[in-house]
Amino acid sequence: MPLLFTGFNAFGQHECVSGDVDCAAGFSELNAPVATQNQCTISIGWRYAALAFGRKLCLRGLLADGPNECVTLEAAGDIRALAAGDSHCLVLLQSGQLYRVQPKLQAELVAVRLEAPPRSNSGTKRSIFGTAKAPSSPIIEHIACGSHINVAISSENCIYSIPSCLHQFPERQFRVKQLECGHEHAVLLNVNGDVFTWGNGLRGQLGLAELRVEETPQLLEALAGIKITQIAAGGWHSAAISAFGDLYTWGVNSSGQLGMRVMKAGGVLKEPTVYPLPQLQDLTECACLQGGESNDDCAPLRVFAGSRHTLLIRRCGRLWVSGWCKHGQLGRQLQNLSYVDAFQALEGITMNPTADDVLCGPWSTLLHLRCTT
Amino acid sequence: METGFLELTKLLPRWVDLENVVQDDVEARYILKRAADHLANIQSSRDSGEEETGYLVGALVDRSWERIHTGHFSQVPLATRKIYAIACCFKIFFLLLESTTPAQKDACSEILDEAQLLGCLEDWSELKVALMDYLDKGGAAAPSSETLPTLEPLTRVSSACDIPQLDAPSLEEFQTKCFKAGQPALLLNTIQHWPALHKWLDLNYLLQVAGNRTVPIEIGSNYASDEWSQQLVKIRDFLSRQFGKDTSKTDQNIEYLAQHELFSQISALKEDISIPDYCTISDGDAPGAVDIKAWLGPAGTVSPMHYDPKHNLLCQVFGSKRIILAAPEDTANLYPHESEFLANTARIDAAQLDPDTYPLVAKVKFYQLLLQPGDCLYLPPKWWHYVRSEAPSFSVSFWWE
């Protein structure tokens, strides 16, 4: 069972194996050429999904007039990463070249031209023969996008708000580990464990005490000094896990996506919806801890987020979830609830915590299991 | 299917009418066409894909809600707010096809209020009114066992007033002494004819005309504090919590229906007030639009020191408000917040000055006054004001340019 899907699929974005097979925890197995091709890359938009294997790119879903539409394209080289946004999908090739494609029936891959950084190093660099090196187009290593934001990061640590260069981190001693985007904000993690955020923070997404817009990456002061190992960006929320196994969430909690209570006791009035500063989440004990062993074995290891939902893989391989589940994004078992506002375990699924992967669409969740369970 | 419901479906827009609204929005095109066609042929072809179409319409409502909540509200395209509003209307029809129990109708009327608050329903006002009427008739809003109090009219008290008081000034007098002079003033005896002054004292009247509507409520004593939040509630629940006879809940939060365009939502209430003639005076040639906002809450609601960009006439219907003013020239001495959201709000607490933390406040000339029932306060643009209700209070403000 390599690809298990749950969530919004009203436009046939995802082709399920033989109809409606209900696997563990209310996930369905997807029909995708993953088993044979290890180089499969997927990104999920709201009305379509993008799937790449080798140099082939396939867009499925509502592309023009109705559901189950599909187009297949071929890129100039092998595809390394995809980022499916509302109006276009970013396509990054192994070569570091960036393309975009609109989700429509006459889809075409168009090369993305990035503006040179304001003070380009390449102009002053000289080769050993003493002649100036011609400025070349940047080699892109990371991409992410949301409905109001498109980010690319080059091998020279230039941060692009496509197509302009916003900022350049030092080329030495700074390596990007992970880049994620919400609807309108970006979160970046470097290998040292520092978190940077930028974009629209008017809903608390940036982790700053003050609600404001930040044009360029800012070090997340509230987490400074804590080594972060994993980050996630949901629609208007963010999450981070530290090397100590602590989980922090911040931003909008409209549907419990931060793992915090939505309504006050009594069920009439709401708790605050926005938490601008990272909140340390005190998770309840895992069921595998009945023996009373140390909690370290079940510490959160990785975190993932969709528009209004959040998933965790704990060290023991259990999947914990919180947030909006109305469209089945947390498995069909929870679909009759509108949301879950405290992290809870999804029974019936055990992940390999390091090898398996989770991918969130805006209203969906995809588990990529490398080995059979 | 009841005939009342069938009559309602005739008011729904047909796909040809919607095509211009949705334009090139791929998902709205597909879903709204499907929904409009389904409901247009409701008598001949029930059931074919009804559940799925209903689900898709609900998904479009959720999707548009997310779009409306992304970026600045002012920059959300009007088309998105129209798609949200009409998708909400279609969703209501599909819910009513499932069931027409009072609870279901109640849920539908909440959806309609949200369509009005977040979306743009102006193209379909006939549909909105008919739908609201239909839902109100059969809703669960049964006359609750609890009746609300009728407030005692306040006896006028004499109070120091640091700004000029004008007794029913003529338009010319207002224009010279206030509008052109940039002079705040207390206008007496200018809204005596409003039916609201006596009608609204009976909170059961408000309950009857407005109880079923959902409105945004501010919770917590003031909007600049960390504890503050905002949410949508039914007016009847708000009235019962804040003015009801059961005052045993001592830990109760202060809730404030503030800065809300209640009168475009509930036209019956608009008939109890009228726009003062002063609002027709403008800097330009043609008088602009007037924003009318309602401010209803218990004693103790606070609007911290802030300013608004427009001319403001604050009219007191019942209860009294303690108001502290400061001139635009004192802006720097009031320590405005630095964040984008709160740049028009001062960090100082005007009711309890703290010169140790904010030494410049010593330089500020503050003006104190008490706004009593029937009074109107004129504030020129950019004048700072702090407002605290001394008793259960209902004010109506008029903003114009």
Side-chain angles (χ1 to χ4, degrees):
Chain A
M1 303 192 296
L3 271 183
L4 296 185
F5 173 84
T6 188
F8 184 65
N9 192 19
F11 304 131
Q13 301 96 308
H14 310 279
E15 195 186 358
C16 294
V17 170
S18 63
D20 230 12
V21 184
D22 197 3
C23 303
F27 284 67
S28 308
E29 189 178 344
L30 280 198
N31 196 0
V34 206
T36 48
Q37 302 267 352
N38 239 349
Q39 301 298 330
C40 169
T41 305
I42 300 174
S43 184
I44 304 173
W46 187 77
R47 62 178 165 92
Y48 71 98
L51 191 134
F53 37 99
R55 52 171 65 195
K56 276 224 168 65
L57 172 68
C58 176
L59 305 176
R60 280 188 64 98
L62 173 62
L63 302 179
D65 305 312
N68 301 310
E69 292 167 325
C70 183
V71 287
T72 307
L73 298 106
E74 194 157 299
D78 283 351
I79 295 170
R80 171 174 171 182
L82 297 169
D86 286 350
S87 56
H88 58 255
C89 178
L90 297 175
V91 180
L92 177 61
L93 305 190
Q94 292 291 0
S95 62
Q97 290 167 289
L98 185 59
Y99 288 81
R100 72 165 79 204
V101 59
Q102 288 184 319
K104 56 182 188 182
L105 289 175
Q106 301 77 32
E108 262 179 280
L109 283 158
V110 181
V112 174
R113 301 181 76 89
L114 295 169
E115 290 167 14
R119 288 175 297 109
S120 173
N121 293 335
S122 48
T124 56
K125 263 187 194 160
R126 288 176 184 275
S127 75
I128 50 168
F129 302 109
T131 49
K133 214 164 97 178
S136 54
S137 61
I139 294 169
I140 299 302
E141 295 189 332
H142 298 269
I143 53 170
C145 74
S147 60
H148 286 51
I149 189 167
N150 290 284
V151 181
I153 304 180
S154 73
S155 56
E156 294 172 318
N157 283 335
C158 287
I159 310 291
Y160 294 89
S161 171
I162 297 169
S164 5
C165 182
L166 291 179
H167 184 76
Q168 183 169 18
F169 283 106
E171 278 186 67
R172 288 157 202 268
Q173 287 144 13
F174 190 102
R175 264 188 60 212
V176 177
K177 181 174 177 187
Q178 207 188 338
L179 168 72
E180 303 290 342
C181 275
H183 294 315
E184 46 187 343
H185 77 292
V187 188
L188 181 155
L189 174 68
N190 69 12
V191 290
N192 291 343
D194 303 317
V195 177
F196 296 80
T197 59
W198 69 98
N200 189 329
L202 296 182
R203 293 173 177 86
Q205 303 97 310
L206 303 186
L208 312 166
E210 201 180 277
L211 305 180
R212 60 171 189 248
V213 175
E214 283 292 349
E215 300 294 339
T216 56
Q218 304 293 319
L219 177 69
L220 182 42
E221 298 279 355
L223 294 179
I226 302 171
K227 187 179 166 70
I228 299 297
T229 53
Q230 277 281 321
I231 53 165
W236 311 274
H237 72 289
S238 314
I241 292 177
S242 76
F244 301 117
D246 285 328
L247 169 68
Y248 300 86
T249 58
W250 62 93
V252 167
N253 190 49
S254 57
S255 309
Q257 55 266 59
L258 301 188
M260 320 252 314
R261 221 165 50 170
V262 171
M263 304 299 283
K264 288 185 194 297
V268 181
L269 294 177
K270 283 185 192 160
E271 294 281 356
T273 314
V274 169
Y275 291 85
L277 288 172
Q279 308 287 311
L280 177 61
Q281 297 299 318
D282 195 12
L283 298 177
T284 45
E285 277 190 3
C286 230
C288 47
L289 277 169
Q290 304 288 325
E293 296 159 50
S294 152
N295 207 14
D296 284 358
D297 292 339
C298 296
L301 191 65
R302 296 165 71 198
V303 62
F304 311 88
S307 184
R308 300 187 239 170
H309 67 289
T310 309
L311 293 100
L312 288 178
I313 302 181
R314 296 178 80 154
R315 234 173 257 278
C316 54
R318 279 173 192 268
L319 201 55
W320 281 53
V321 298
S322 190
W324 201 35
C325 52
K326 182 182 171 189
H327 295 281
Q329 48 272 69
L330 300 181
R332 268 197 294 275
Q333 287 171 0
L334 295 172
Q335 197 165 351
N336 50 353
L337 300 172
S338 175
Y339 61 81
V340 174
D341 58 353
F343 281 99
Q344 64 173 66
L346 270 193
E347 299 302 336
I349 280 198
T350 310
M351 312 271 295
N352 177 331
T354 46
D356 293 346
D357 231 333
V358 176
L359 178 74
C360 288
W363 297 2
S364 57
T365 303
L366 191 58
L367 309 182
H368 191 175
L369 309 184
R370 310 274 166 179
C371 43
T372 49
T373 49
Chain B
M1 222 177 294
E2 17 163 348
T3 46
F5 180 80
L6 284 176
E7 287 302 309
L8 274 181
T9 59
K10 291 183 186 152
L11 295 173
L12 272 171
R14 298 292 183 254
W15 171 241
V16 283
D17 311 318
L18 286 174
E19 230 176 327
N20 276 330
V21 175
V22 305
Q23 297 192 8
D24 51 1
D25 187 306
V26 177
E27 55 256 31
R29 271 190 94 80
Y30 169 64
I31 295 174
L32 291 179
K33 178 172 194 319
R34 221 177 127 152
D37 289 349
H38 184 88
L39 291 170
N41 303 318
I42 189 68
Q43 276 173 296
S44 48
S45 66
R46 275 298 299 268
D47 295 334
S48 67
E50 185 163 296
E51 195 184 337
E52 194 190 339
T53 308
Y55 172 76
L56 282 170
V57 169
L60 184 62
V61 168
D62 290 343
R63 166 77 170 160
S64 312
W65 186 94
E66 291 196 342
R67 287 185 160 180
I68 289 173
H69 285 83
T70 305
H72 283 272
F73 187 71
S74 61
Q75 279 164 24
V76 174
L78 189 60
T80 303
R81 294 180 51 219
K82 285 187 175 181
I83 289 169
Y84 174 76
I86 198 64
C88 282
C89 292
F90 280 121
K91 180 177 171 178
I92 290 169
F93 280 86
F94 281 95
L95 286 173
L96 292 174
L97 283 172
E98 271 173 31
S99 138
T100 51
T101 59
Q104 185 88 338
K105 284 190 170 178
D106 238 23
C108 289
S109 101
E110 267 171 54
I111 295 170
L112 189 58
D113 280 326
E114 285 185 35
Q116 158 123 7
L117 293 171
L118 280 179
C120 173
L121 266 172
E122 64 186 29
D123 293 359
W124 306 286
S125 52
E126 196 189 344
L127 171 67
K128 178 193 87 177
V129 171
L131 203 48
M132 203 173 271
D133 191 51
Y134 174 82
L135 296 172
D136 278 354
K137 271 183 198 148
S144 63
S145 52
E146 180 188 39
T147 52
L148 294 168
T150 298
L151 301 170
E152 289 297 319
L154 292 182
T155 329
R156 195 165 184 87
V157 296
S158 61
S159 168
C161 180
D162 295 344
I163 56 170
Q165 303 187 49
L166 303 175
D167 193 357
S170 67
L171 277 182
E172 291 73 22
E173 190 183 1
F174 174 78
Q175 184 163 24
T176 356
K177 289 185 178 167
C178 306
F179 192 90
K180 285 195 170 151
Q183 173 65 54
L186 193 62
L187 314 181
L188 307 173
N189 296 313
T190 60
I191 57 165
Q192 298 308 329
H193 58 286
W194 282 13
L197 291 188
H198 60 269
K199 273 170 110 173
W200 296 0
L201 283 168
D202 181 2
L203 297 173
N204 296 296
Y205 168 73
L206 295 179
L207 181 66
Q208 186 211 324
V209 274
N212 223 11
R213 299 277 73 79
T214 301
V215 290
I217 298 286
E218 298 180 356
I219 299 159
S221 68
N222 93 63
Y223 69 77
S225 78
D226 289 342
E227 297 303 305
W228 184 82
S229 71
Q230 204 178 15
Q231 65 175 278
L232 298 176
V233 304
K234 289 230 176 207
I235 289 187
R236 77 171 113 96
D237 298 332
F238 161 71
L239 288 174
S240 133
R241 281 197 296 272
Q242 298 296 315
F243 305 98
K245 288 178 176 138
D246 179 18
T247 46
S248 57
K249 297 167 226 149
T250 44
D251 60 336
Q252 195 160 287
N253 284 293
I254 287 187
E255 297 173 38
Y256 193 14
L257 195 175
Q259 203 178 321
H260 174 54
E261 298 196 8
L262 186 69
F263 306 101
S264 59
Q265 190 182 4
I266 302 159
S267 48
L269 288 178
K270 195 171 181 187
E271 286 162 22
D272 297 337
I273 60 172
S274 57
I275 300 179
D277 292 341
Y278 306 119
C279 302
T280 59
I281 294 175
S282 85
D283 296 320
D285 299 331
V290 181
D291 300 333
I292 313 175
K293 314 254 187 191
W295 310 75
L296 169 63
T301 62
V302 173
S303 301
M305 200 71 160
H306 70 286
Y307 69 82
D308 302 305
K310 297 183 178 181
H311 294 273
N312 184 356
L313 203 57
L314 181 64
C315 304
Q316 192 63 9
V317 175
F318 65 68
S320 59
K321 281 181 159 170
R322 171 68 53 194
I323 297 179
I324 305 173
L325 308 178
E329 293 73 39
D330 270 323
T331 296
N333 302 329
L334 293 167
Y335 301 86
H337 281 271
E338 279 161 9
S339 80
E340 200 173 330
F341 264 175
L342 291 174
N344 71 337
T345 304
R347 279 181 284 170
I348 63 140
D349 180 357
Q352 206 157 15
L353 294 177
D354 175 7
D356 293 339
T357 317
Y358 304 110
L360 294 176
V361 292
K363 297 185 179 176
V364 179
K365 163 81 178 129
F366 289 105
Y367 304 81
Q368 312 259 354
L369 67 120
L370 183 69
L371 191 69
Q372 303 190 55
D375 293 352
C376 298
L377 170 66
Y378 167 69
L379 281 178
K382 301 265 172 98
W383 267 75
W384 292 86
H385 49 291
Y386 161 97
V387 184
R388 182 184 197 283
S389 60
E390 302 281 288
S393 161
F394 201 143
S395 327
V396 179
S397 68
F398 300 88
W399 289 353
W400 79 102
E401 279 172 305

